[in-house]
Amino acid sequence: MAFEEEPLPQIPTNEKSWNRLLKFIAIGISSVIVLVVAVKWIGPFVLKKVVVPALQWEAQAFDNTERIIVILVTLAVFPTICLPSTPSMWMAGMAYGYVKGILVVMAGVSVGVSLPFFVGSVFHAEIQRLLEKYPKEASILRLAGEGNWFHQFRTVTLIRISPLPYIMFNYAAWATNVRYTPYLMGTWVGMLPEVFIALYSGILIRSFAEATQAKRTLTPKQIIFNVVGFCASVGATIFIGIRTKKRLDRLHEEESMPE
């Protein structure tokens, strides 16, 4: 005689909602605890033992001209050899603030994205084989080489804002047949959110380091303003990146549809 298996009891929808809510609450409480520990103990320790000595060394080791050269060279060379250039942007923010900092950073970034663009022409066949291993990403990157000047500029801008691999596109750009001018100008516009966050981070690091060095503490209002402003900027950048990625996928679907 065959026995029929009894169906497992279904968890009520309300219970699922409560479980999800409890998870969010637990994550929120844990995040607050970690944040308090970081602000109260870890942050001051890192500032005192790492950041302040580094700033003192940097101030003694370089004059203004040498500092600009170091930032420009690292921003130009690091993307070419697949190293992150964000610390150089932090340095620009700490030393020069927003206006001068963004001019220095964009000058270095222009060289940093141009070198791989032209180096990629030497390794055209190797890059094509690499793109074949990632067909979806490659098809999105190839959108940059299609259409008129504005279409290429818009696509490069979307690619730069989206979470696609930054260094991969530097070298793959040549293989997409995108022209240099829309590639460079699209890079300028698309990288502005990332550059702003990096400069903002550098300015915050500098302000906290100066307060630590002067043995004074920022007021709770200043700390809350800085932290909330930074989190809001990062959140806005992530939101823009996600929206841009969806827009890029939609553009890819439109281009892939048969006429």
Side-chain angles (χ1 to χ4, degrees):
M1 181 178 178
F3 293 95
E4 293 184 0
E5 293 184 1
E6 294 184 2
L8 293 175
Q10 297 293 321
I11 300 176
T13 306
N14 290 339
E15 188 174 341
K16 288 184 179 180
S17 301
W18 275 108
N19 289 338
R20 193 178 299 113
L21 178 61
L22 290 174
K23 287 180 181 178
F24 283 139
I25 293 173
I27 292 172
I29 294 174
S30 303
S31 301
V32 170
I33 293 173
V34 171
L35 182 61
V36 170
V37 171
V39 171
K40 185 70 176 177
W41 291 287
I42 299 176
F45 177 81
V46 172
L47 285 171
K48 185 177 181 180
K49 298 297 183 181
V50 179
V51 177
V52 171
L55 289 176
Q56 291 173 339
W57 171 83
E58 182 261 342
Q60 296 170 359
F62 306 109
D63 60 24
N64 187 56
T65 303
E66 291 171 339
R67 189 182 298 110
I68 290 177
I69 292 173
V70 169
I71 294 173
L72 289 174
V73 170
T74 53
L75 287 172
V77 174
F78 280 11
T80 308
I81 57 178
C82 301
L83 289 176
S85 55
T86 303
S88 301
M89 298 184 194
W90 292 344
M91 183 186 293
M94 287 187 285
Y96 304 115
Y98 288 116
V99 180
K100 191 174 180 180
I102 202 167
L103 293 175
V104 173
V105 168
M106 282 305 185
V109 164
S110 298
V111 180
V113 300
S114 297
L115 287 177
F117 180 85
F118 294 112
V119 169
S121 63
V122 180
F123 303 99
H124 189 275
E126 289 79 2
I127 291 173
Q128 289 287 6
R129 284 197 294 270
L130 178 63
L131 291 177
E132 289 174 0
K133 296 180 181 179
Y134 306 95
K136 182 180 178 181
E137 289 79 4
S139 61
I140 293 176
L141 295 180
R142 288 193 177 96
L143 289 174
E146 300 176 359
N148 56 21
W149 189 97
F150 180 76
H151 181 278
Q152 293 187 358
F153 164 78
R154 180 184 62 170
T155 307
V156 172
T157 302
L158 293 174
I159 289 173
R160 289 301 190 191
I161 298 175
S162 72
L164 285 170
Y166 170 84
I167 296 175
M168 176 183 177
F169 182 59
N170 289 347
Y171 282 98
W174 180 273
T176 66
N177 297 319
V178 62
R179 293 193 290 274
Y180 177 68
T181 306
Y183 166 78
L184 183 60
M185 296 187 70
T187 296
W188 288 344
V189 176
M191 285 195 63
L192 278 177
E194 178 187 349
V195 172
F196 174 80
I197 292 296
L199 292 175
Y200 191 11
S201 302
I203 294 169
L204 281 181
I205 292 170
R206 182 95 192 183
S207 64
F208 284 121
E210 287 176 347
T212 302
Q213 193 173 7
K215 296 182 179 180
R216 61 181 173 83
T217 57
L218 297 176
T219 65
K221 184 178 179 180
Q222 288 175 313
I223 295 174
I224 291 172
F225 177 79
N226 287 327
V227 172
V228 170
F230 176 76
C231 292
S233 301
V234 172
T237 302
I238 294 173
F239 175 76
I240 292 171
I242 293 172
R243 296 287 297 178
T244 303
K245 181 64 169 59
K246 291 180 179 178
R247 177 71 184 92
L248 200 58
D249 290 338
R250 199 156 55 242
L251 181 64
H252 175 237
E253 291 174 0
E254 290 172 1
E255 293 290 337
S256 302
M257 289 177 62
E259 297 182 359

